[in-house]
Amino acid sequence: MDDLHERLHTLHARLRAGLPAEAVLTDPDVTASYARDMASFCTAGTPAAVVLPRTVEQVRHVMRTATELRVPVVPQGARTGLSGAANASEGCIVLSLVKMDRILEIDPVDRIAVVEPGVVNAVLSRAVAEHGLYYPPDPSSWEMCTIGGNIGTASGGLCCVKYGVTAEYVLGLDVVLADGRLLRTGRRTAKGVAGYDLTRLFVGSEGTLGIVVGAVLALKPQPPAQLALAAEFPSAEAACEAVCAIMERGHTPSLLELMDGTTVRAVNKLAHMGLPDTTEALLLCAFDTPDPAADLAAVAELCRAAGATEVVPAEDAAESELLLQARRLSLTALEAIKTATMIDDVCVPRTKLAAMLTGTAEIAAKYGLTIGVCAHAGDGNTHPVVCFDHADEDESRRARESFDEIMALGLALGGTITGEHGVGVLKKEWLARELGPVGVELQRGIKETFDPLGLLNPGKLF
Amino acid sequence: MDDLHERLHTLHARLRAGLPAEAVLTDPDVTASYARDMASFCTAGTPAAVVLPRTVEQVRHVMRTATELRVPVVPQGARTGLSGAANASEGCIVLSLVKMDRILEIDPVDRIAVVEPGVVNAVLSRAVAEHGLYYPPDPSSWEMCTIGGNIGTASGGLCCVKYGVTAEYVLGLDVVLADGRLLRTGRRTAKGVAGYDLTRLFVGSEGTLGIVVGAVLALKPQPPAQLALAAEFPSAEAACEAVCAIMERGHTPSLLELMDGTTVRAVNKLAHMGLPDTTEALLLCAFDTPDPAADLAAVAELCRAAGATEVVPAEDAAESELLLQARRLSLTALEAIKTATMIDDVCVPRTKLAAMLTGTAEIAAKYGLTIGVCAHAGDGNTHPVVCFDHADEDESRRARESFDEIMALGLALGGTITGEHGVGVLKKEWLARELGPVGVELQRGIKETFDPLGLLNPGKLF
């Protein structure tokens, strides 16, 4: 015990030697509040300290200290993650990047932004919009989550069906390595193929390879405001048939989302939005093309051919935004059904989306659970939300089992266990199952190359 | 000498044990013809054997044999590369993938193609077009080069300004590792973030990490035929000013190419195309949008504002294709000026394009050389082509020195030594300069993880 106190004291003293007093938090009540992200069912330890650096040099000091004292480091952004990737490990330094929140540069000709990792996604989106530019990645948590967290988890969002994921917008990175050395990866040019793509390796690496302290991001020109429609279907299969038809015909919607009947009713209950209560699947489709009404008309036709009972196009951007709000409320609405939820993130080939949804319904029935599904349907990325009562031990067990069975179904359909939420602690065993032993061995080899002492976010991914 | 014969005999016998007779070439006259790609000034060794497998199992046999006998392996596609990455090393097995040329699947709903590495780029492009789909990457050599080679070198092309590079179209890979084990990376879904992005690590790795034996490629819907214009400028700076204005105003051309005066005159001399002989820079811009004529009109206005002396819009797709042909002939035309060329591939931020072009002209003057520049101007990716007489020792030396000085200029302007051609043998020392010692150390660490015996394309990259 004395030894532990001694070590804690040393750690705090060393950290304070290179950081301002207010940047080192050691009060256990305070540090405990940094223990977790937003994932259920994930273990978390007690941090030995929380540091809030404001400069690259301070981050380097933290990593040098961690290496010298052999203390693990868990990097954090806004902790809105859903897989426990930002959960503290016992006795770690929590390295929160939220104070490094400057936008350093926005260049409309080179179409790039240079940012620190703590910049909030929505803040960046609004800042670039003032220059007529667009930073597409828009995870649900975009009003809170940070660019550093988005890079760590390789997050997605509603825009991906047209604009792709975070990875496609990261051109270059400044990284502090485990031993405190600085690495610059990538470029600020539109193209570049000099050596192995280390930039991409860091995206989605969940803080296990290094600490991202700066990023060059690619931007797009601001598209026109999108126009949406909502289509009601008597079954999830019919809605999925429409999704496949839309993509097969070569349409490029800026959004193609699905809410199943459970989700629709939950949103109605929460927000009294007057969504069609009897529908079994609601499809939302939007275009930000020069003539979105024409594109929507073609899509409406395809929806009707697939069995839509009603198709309601929005009159204008404001009405479209209302439809999107319903979709954005889905998770909160499903969370209100029981005391707890587990949110899955299985992505399957578009052609297998119907099988994924009917299979998930079967799993819900088998375990006697409510599982609402919303999906980035155009990408085949489903979010089955398992609702359960935390205090009910048997229901909790069934929730956990159904969650796993959903991932197994996704893999069986040629999909992946995670389309955009990452692996963290939640899906470690499943990552090994998806990658296989050769893949895991090589991933571990890469980890070893970057972090030979195993100090960076240990126990995550594998 | 006897020992060498003995070892060659053993190697050939072992290879033949798992490959059909016609798939193992050992006649020195024949194997010598596989020694090089299309780069100048790059060393190449004599292969000990050339193998032409048709199946994954045969590739595994080759790699097992190579590992057992400790013989280096150099993978090859169509050998149209421009950096010596496919050059044989002394005593190696050349592993040519050109016979593995099947398109295994094209799926218009999932918008993917599954291919073997030896499929020729143009063959794939035409095959997917029949399904209303589009595989964008279009290197100049697209009628000859293979998808495997495109993946190995991360190639680009004319389409990149709108559609990005090869890397963005590779979703998943089947790879035979150095020891013959099979690795599957990535996915066939639209999204996926399960673990480190090994897929992207292989793209551009020039055969140094494993042998790509299969790929899942993303496809786009076929866009409308593009419409182009040509604008003449009195100086390269004026043309670059137009490029910046076009991008700053939020346009998304499907092509934005620049030919300098030297290139224009060379093309005229070769093909009598009637391009404006007195112009100092010709800008080609195209759109494949729903209303390309309107987009071109806006661009024409910007070109005039930047000082264009003449702007000629194409009347139709056929006329547009003619303009593109002029661009596609650039390299061949410049090659006809002297007996040899060195083609550089420096990519700079768009805002630095003018500085890159004027700097290159100064380098040409300083060394008393003809250096024609064509550029993927919208991406800031320049191809200065140094023309020289191979037999003239002094001119050859000056060519080499100017080539290096062009890369130094690119780095000084915040650019990269290679936008799309890769590193190979040609730019090894320059890669180290661009990456710095920390970057090189980590890249070597990754190499070591995948290829501990150093058998895969040794001497390339670093």
Side-chain angles (χ1 to χ4, degrees):
Chain A
M1 199 58 193
D2 278 351
D3 183 46
L4 178 64
H5 275 296
E6 178 69 28
R7 276 189 290 137
L8 262 180
H9 182 77
T10 306
L11 174 64
H12 295 161
R14 294 285 175 92
L15 287 172
R16 287 196 175 105
L19 288 160
E22 74 276 9
V24 185
L25 312 180
T26 58
D27 178 337
D29 289 345
V30 175
T31 58
S33 71
Y34 285 80
R36 293 180 168 281
D37 66 18
M38 289 171 69
S40 309
F41 280 116
C42 290
T43 55
T46 307
V50 174
V51 293
L52 293 145
R54 287 182 183 272
T55 68
V56 172
E57 212 33 65
Q58 289 173 1
V59 174
R60 300 184 70 182
H61 172 75
V62 172
M63 292 315 303
R64 283 193 208 104
T65 305
T67 291
E68 189 192 338
L69 303 179
R70 302 290 193 269
V71 179
V73 173
V74 177
Q76 287 184 350
R79 290 186 289 122
T80 50
L82 293 165
S83 64
N87 282 10
S89 42
E90 191 58 35
C92 75
I93 301 168
V94 162
L95 174 49
S96 172
L97 281 311
V98 294
K99 300 285 187 195
M100 292 182 70
D101 61 354
R102 290 178 305 163
I103 298 172
L104 302 172
E105 198 185 331
I106 296 172
D107 188 320
V109 175
D110 287 328
R111 289 187 187 163
I112 57 169
V114 183
V115 302
E116 291 184 337
V119 173
V120 169
N121 181 300
V123 171
L124 177 66
S125 295
R126 287 185 195 115
V128 304
E130 280 177 33
H131 294 81
L133 293 165
Y134 177 41
Y135 178 69
D138 61 343
S140 305
S141 56
W142 74 304
E143 289 281 7
M144 299 162 66
C145 64
T146 63
I147 296 297
N150 294 170
I151 291 171
T153 56
S155 32
L158 301 184
C159 72
C160 304
V161 64
K162 178 165 181 177
Y163 292 100
V165 293
T166 296
E168 289 165 51
Y169 294 89
V170 185
L171 297 180
L173 293 172
D174 284 329
V175 178
V176 174
L177 297 173
D179 57 11
R181 286 186 301 170
L182 256 181
L183 170 71
R184 173 159 286 185
T185 74
R187 54 188 212 269
R188 41 183 296 148
T189 52
K191 290 157 80 181
V193 294
Y196 303 141
D197 191 344
L198 298 189
T199 307
R200 193 67 171 245
L201 201 56
F202 278 99
V203 179
S205 66
E206 301 185 350
T208 62
L209 299 179
I211 311 294
V212 170
V213 293
V216 182
L217 304 174
L219 305 172
K220 298 258 182 203
Q222 185 80 48
Q226 59 184 359
L227 201 64
L229 66 68
E232 301 170 30
F233 289 87
S235 70
E237 292 97 314
C240 294
E241 197 188 315
V243 169
C244 289
I246 291 165
M247 300 310 279
E248 188 171 21
R249 292 300 176 89
H251 292 289
T252 305
S254 52
L255 173 139
L256 187 49
E257 296 287 319
L258 184 148
M259 298 159 69
D260 73 353
T262 305
T263 307
V264 167
R265 289 182 280 279
V267 170
N268 265 347
K269 199 172 163 198
L270 181 80
H272 310 288
M273 294 191 77
L275 300 175
D277 244 8
T278 55
T279 199
E280 280 313 310
L282 193 69
L283 203 63
L284 304 178
C285 182
F287 287 88
D288 59 4
T289 46
D291 188 359
D295 290 311
L296 287 180
V299 161
E301 221 27 73
L302 295 173
C303 286
R304 282 189 205 102
T309 50
E310 189 136 22
V311 182
V312 186
E315 289 292 315
D316 51 31
E319 247 184 71
S320 298
E321 196 42 50
L322 212 69
L323 285 174
L324 264 65
Q325 233 175 69
R327 167 63 185 87
R328 287 198 188 268
L329 277 175
S330 297
L331 187 53
T332 316
L334 290 166
E335 280 171 348
I337 291 180
K338 293 255 180 174
T339 65
T341 53
M342 290 189 79
I343 305 155
D344 222 325
D345 176 39
V346 171
C347 191
V348 294
R350 228 167 258 138
T351 40
K352 297 292 192 294
L353 190 59
M356 188 67 212
L357 292 184
T358 50
T360 302
E362 281 161 26
I363 292 168
K366 172 178 164 189
Y367 287 97
L369 292 164
T370 299
I371 302 181
V373 181
C374 44
H376 308 306
D379 287 323
N381 192 176
T382 67
H383 292 312
V385 180
V386 183
C387 306
F388 63 101
D389 182 355
H390 214 280
D392 183 335
E393 225 172 89
D394 184 67
E395 195 169 71
S396 299
R397 180 192 51 75
R398 282 181 282 133
R400 180 86 226 196
E401 282 177 28
S402 70
F403 187 81
D404 284 354
E405 206 160 317
I406 288 166
M407 284 190 282
L409 173 63
L411 289 182
L413 292 171
T416 171
I417 56 160
T418 175
E420 57 181 14
H421 291 175
V423 173
V425 189
L426 191 64
K427 298 188 171 180
K428 273 168 67 168
E429 295 112 55
W430 285 89
L431 181 70
R433 202 155 146 178
E434 178 166 337
L435 297 183
V438 178
V440 169
E441 181 187 316
L442 291 168
Q443 301 239 344
R444 281 187 193 279
I446 289 170
K447 165 74 174 171
E448 180 93 0
T449 298
F450 283 83
D451 180 23
L453 298 173
L455 297 177
L456 284 165
N457 213 5
K460 311 297 160 57
L461 278 180
F462 30 70
Chain B
M1 198 58 191
D2 279 352
D3 183 46
L4 177 65
H5 275 296
E6 178 69 28
R7 276 191 289 137
L8 263 181
H9 182 75
T10 305
L11 173 64
H12 295 161
R14 292 286 174 92
L15 288 172
R16 288 196 174 104
L19 289 160
E22 75 276 11
V24 184
L25 312 179
T26 57
D27 177 338
D29 289 343
V30 176
T31 59
S33 70
Y34 285 81
R36 294 182 166 280
D37 64 18
M38 289 171 70
S40 309
F41 279 117
C42 291
T43 55
T46 307
V50 173
V51 293
L52 294 145
R54 287 182 182 270
T55 68
V56 172
E57 213 31 66
Q58 289 173 2
V59 174
R60 299 184 71 183
H61 173 75
V62 172
M63 292 314 305
R64 283 194 209 104
T65 305
T67 291
E68 189 193 339
L69 302 179
R70 301 291 193 268
V71 179
V73 173
V74 177
Q76 288 183 349
R79 290 186 289 122
T80 51
L82 293 165
S83 64
N87 281 12
S89 42
E90 191 58 34
C92 75
I93 301 167
V94 161
L95 173 49
S96 172
L97 280 312
V98 295
K99 300 285 188 195
M100 291 182 71
D101 62 353
R102 290 178 304 163
I103 298 173
L104 302 172
E105 197 184 331
I106 296 172
D107 188 319
V109 175
D110 288 328
R111 289 185 187 165
I112 56 170
V114 183
V115 303
E116 291 184 338
V119 172
V120 169
N121 181 300
V123 171
L124 177 66
S125 295
R126 289 187 193 114
V128 305
E130 281 177 31
H131 294 81
L133 293 164
Y134 177 41
Y135 178 70
D138 62 343
S140 304
S141 55
W142 73 303
E143 290 281 6
M144 298 162 66
C145 64
T146 63
I147 296 297
N150 295 171
I151 292 171
T153 56
S155 33
L158 302 183
C159 73
C160 305
V161 65
K162 178 165 182 178
Y163 292 100
V165 293
T166 296
E168 289 165 52
Y169 295 88
V170 185
L171 298 179
L173 293 173
D174 285 327
V175 178
V176 174
L177 298 172
D179 57 12
R181 287 185 301 169
L182 255 182
L183 170 70
R184 172 159 288 186
T185 75
R187 52 186 213 268
R188 40 183 297 147
T189 52
K191 290 157 79 180
V193 294
Y196 304 140
D197 191 343
L198 298 189
T199 307
R200 194 65 173 246
L201 201 55
F202 278 98
V203 179
S205 66
E206 301 185 350
T208 62
L209 300 179
I211 310 293
V212 170
V213 291
V216 182
L217 303 174
L219 305 172
K220 298 256 182 205
Q222 184 81 47
Q226 60 184 358
L227 202 63
L229 66 69
E232 300 170 31
F233 290 88
S235 70
E237 293 96 313
C240 294
E241 196 187 315
V243 168
C244 289
I246 292 166
M247 299 310 277
E248 188 171 21
R249 292 299 177 87
H251 291 289
T252 306
S254 51
L255 174 140
L256 187 51
E257 296 287 318
L258 184 148
M259 297 160 70
D260 73 353
T262 305
T263 308
V264 167
R265 288 181 281 278
V267 170
N268 264 348
K269 199 173 163 197
L270 181 79
H272 311 287
M273 295 192 76
L275 300 175
D277 243 9
T278 57
T279 199
E280 280 313 310
L282 193 69
L283 202 63
L284 304 178
C285 182
F287 287 89
D288 59 4
T289 45
D291 188 359
D295 291 311
L296 287 180
V299 161
E301 220 28 73
L302 295 172
C303 286
R304 282 189 205 102
T309 49
E310 187 136 22
V311 182
V312 187
E315 290 291 316
D316 50 31
E319 247 185 70
S320 299
E321 197 41 50
L322 212 67
L323 285 174
L324 264 65
Q325 235 176 66
R327 167 63 185 87
R328 288 197 189 269
L329 277 175
S330 297
L331 186 53
T332 316
L334 289 166
E335 280 171 349
I337 291 181
K338 292 255 180 173
T339 65
T341 54
M342 290 190 79
I343 305 155
D344 222 326
D345 175 39
V346 172
C347 190
V348 294
R350 226 168 258 139
T351 41
K352 298 293 192 294
L353 190 59
M356 187 67 213
L357 292 184
T358 51
T360 301
E362 279 161 27
I363 292 167
K366 172 177 164 190
Y367 287 97
L369 291 164
T370 299
I371 302 181
V373 181
C374 45
H376 308 306
D379 288 323
N381 193 175
T382 68
H383 291 313
V385 179
V386 183
C387 306
F388 64 101
D389 181 356
H390 215 279
D392 182 335
E393 225 172 88
D394 185 66
E395 194 169 74
S396 298
R397 179 192 52 77
R398 283 181 282 132
R400 179 85 225 197
E401 281 178 28
S402 70
F403 187 80
D404 284 355
E405 207 162 314
I406 288 167
M407 284 191 281
L409 174 62
L411 288 182
L413 292 171
T416 172
I417 55 160
T418 175
E420 56 181 14
H421 291 175
V423 174
V425 189
L426 190 64
K427 298 187 170 180
K428 274 168 66 167
E429 295 112 55
W430 285 91
L431 181 71
R433 201 154 148 179
E434 177 166 338
L435 298 182
V438 178
V440 169
E441 181 187 316
L442 291 167
Q443 301 238 346
R444 281 187 192 278
I446 289 169
K447 166 75 174 170
E448 179 93 0
T449 298
F450 283 82
D451 180 24
L453 299 173
L455 297 176
L456 284 164
N457 213 5
K460 311 299 161 58
L461 279 179
F462 30 70

